[in-house]
């Protein structure tokens, strides 16, 4: 299956629900939460902010944004009605709103927000420039654009040469991202779109709690089988090996991420 997030609203509802569970697994991972907290801490937070998260999924990051005392209102938008319904069910913040909509054609007036956030979104979409142009349209002058995404080409779970589990990650690089090189292209892309003061930070996720990365490998094994690259029996063996490494304390994963902050206008 090619990247399901690229056209998520048309994906089978059962698959959408499973992907929603994966988003919440990642959000619950304490190491990932620490990385998210670290990149959010580097932003400017004036009082009374109105924030938009584009591609909010089940709302995990939207909920974190809502916890900031400086934030007056947070809006999360996603094309998946199933994701949005789940986000609404998990939300407990009165100043949060979730909307079904497309990041390429945001249903908001110009200069409506002080900050626009893309959290692991732009690597999944074709023509990310269109999403960034829309972000600029709805940002107020001096508003912050915030991007957090993975460097898919550097992801690894290998613990030895020719490690068979790496194939599970490699297929996710190509099938779970429209552009696995995106983070390496973003600085030039943002400058060309008239964003200023582009700042970048790198983060390494090494999976102290293996639950998120194990889920990633298990989904990769399914992708290998679905693509006919391995048999169902071989996919089951890959999953069994990954689970055994977790039990033995031998599981390793390195998922590099980058955050970007830029100013509009």
């Amino acid at each position: 299956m090619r990247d399901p997030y690229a056209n998520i609203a048309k994906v089978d509802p059962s698959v959408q629900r499973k992907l929603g569970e994966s988003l919440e697994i990642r959000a619950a991972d304490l190491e990932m939460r620490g990385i998210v907290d670290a990149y959010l801490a580097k932003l400017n937070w004036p009082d009374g902010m109105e924030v938009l998260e584009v591609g909010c999924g089940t709302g995990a990051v939207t909920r974190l944004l809502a916890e900031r005392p400086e934030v007056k209102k947070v809006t999360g938008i996603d094309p998946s009605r199933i994701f949005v319904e789940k986000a609404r069910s998990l939300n407990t913040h009165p100043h949060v709103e979730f909307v079904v909509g497309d990041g390429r054609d945001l249903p908001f007036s110009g200069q409506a927000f002080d900050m626009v956030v893309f959290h692991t979104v732009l690597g999944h979409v074709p023509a990310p420039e269109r999403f960034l142009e829309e972000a600029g349209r709805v940002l107020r002058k001096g508003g912050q654009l915030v991007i957090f995404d993975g460097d898919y080409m550097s992801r690894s779970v290998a613990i030895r040469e020719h490690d068979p589990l790496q194939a599970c990650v490699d297929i996710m690089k190509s099938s779970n991202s429209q552009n696995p090189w995106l983070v390496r292209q973003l600085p030039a892309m943002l400058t060309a779109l008239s964003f200023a003061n582009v700042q970048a930070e790198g983060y390494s996720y090494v999976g102290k709690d293996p639950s998120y990365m194990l889920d990633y490998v298990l989904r990769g094994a399914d992708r290998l089988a679905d693509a006919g690259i391995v048999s169902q029996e071989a996919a089951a063996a890959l999953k069994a090996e990954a689970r055994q490494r977790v039990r033995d304390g031998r599981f390793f994963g390195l998922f590099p991420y980058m955050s970007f902050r830029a100013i509009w206008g």
Side-chain angles (χ1 to χ4, degrees):
M1 179 191 298
R2 190 60 185 167
D3 185 358
Y5 292 105
N7 201 9
I8 188 66
K10 295 184 178 180
V11 171
D12 183 89
S14 64
V15 175
Q16 291 188 52
R17 284 189 284 271
K18 185 175 181 180
L19 291 171
E21 292 172 0
S22 295
L23 292 175
E24 290 298 319
I25 287 173
R26 181 180 68 181
D29 183 284
L30 293 179
E31 185 179 357
M32 179 58 71
R33 172 64 186 269
I35 291 173
V36 175
D37 287 343
Y39 90 74
L40 292 180
K42 294 179 182 296
L43 306 178
N44 290 331
W45 295 99
D47 287 336
M49 293 186 71
E50 295 186 67
V51 182
L52 172 67
E53 187 191 2
V54 180
C56 65
T58 54
V61 172
T62 313
R63 299 192 299 269
L64 286 180
L65 294 166
E67 292 175 4
R68 302 287 309 196
E70 307 90 345
V71 171
K72 175 182 176 182
K73 182 178 180 181
V74 188
T75 303
I77 186 169
D78 198 280
S80 167
R81 188 171 299 277
I82 288 174
F83 282 179
V84 168
E85 288 174 355
K86 182 67 173 178
R88 289 169 177 163
S89 73
L90 293 173
N91 178 55
T92 59
H93 301 284
H95 58 301
V96 170
E97 178 183 16
F98 289 103
V99 178
V100 177
D102 193 326
R104 294 167 293 189
D105 186 18
L106 294 171
F108 309 111
S109 61
Q111 302 182 47
F113 298 96
D114 302 293
M115 179 185 289
V116 175
V117 178
F118 292 93
H119 183 87
T120 62
V121 171
L122 293 179
H124 294 293
V125 299
E129 296 89 344
R130 177 57 187 152
F131 291 78
L132 293 171
E133 289 170 355
E134 271 292 274
R137 182 184 67 81
V138 301
L139 273 170
R140 297 179 178 121
K141 185 175 181 180
Q144 298 174 83
L145 174 73
V146 182
I147 301 168
F148 181 81
D149 224 309
D151 184 0
Y152 284 86
M153 296 309 297
S154 298
R155 293 185 168 189
S156 176
V157 295
I159 60 174
R160 59 178 180 268
E161 190 174 7
H162 308 303
D163 191 324
L165 285 193
Q166 185 61 30
C168 300
V169 172
D170 289 343
I171 195 170
M172 294 290 278
K173 292 177 184 177
S174 59
S175 66
N176 207 40
S177 176
Q178 290 289 307
N179 180 3
W181 305 96
L182 176 78
V183 295
R184 308 180 189 197
Q185 300 167 357
L186 271 173
M189 188 183 299
L190 292 170
T191 300
L193 291 170
S194 300
F195 287 94
N197 301 328
V198 179
Q199 300 176 25
E201 298 278 349
Y203 304 87
S204 292
Y205 177 90
V206 295
K208 297 168 186 174
D209 174 356
S211 57
Y212 164 47
M213 289 190 298
L214 175 62
D215 177 71
Y216 195 83
V217 170
L218 299 181
R219 288 190 289 130
D222 287 336
R223 297 277 179 88
L224 289 170
D226 291 344
I229 297 171
V230 302
S231 66
Q232 292 290 344
E233 291 77 12
L238 289 168
K239 292 180 181 181
E241 170 65 15
R243 292 185 175 108
Q244 188 62 51
R245 289 188 192 181
V246 170
R247 288 192 291 270
D248 295 344
R250 296 183 295 117
F251 191 92
F252 169 82
L254 176 63
F255 287 11
Y257 287 88
M258 292 193 71
S259 69
F260 298 85
R261 173 180 172 269
I263 303 300
W264 180 251

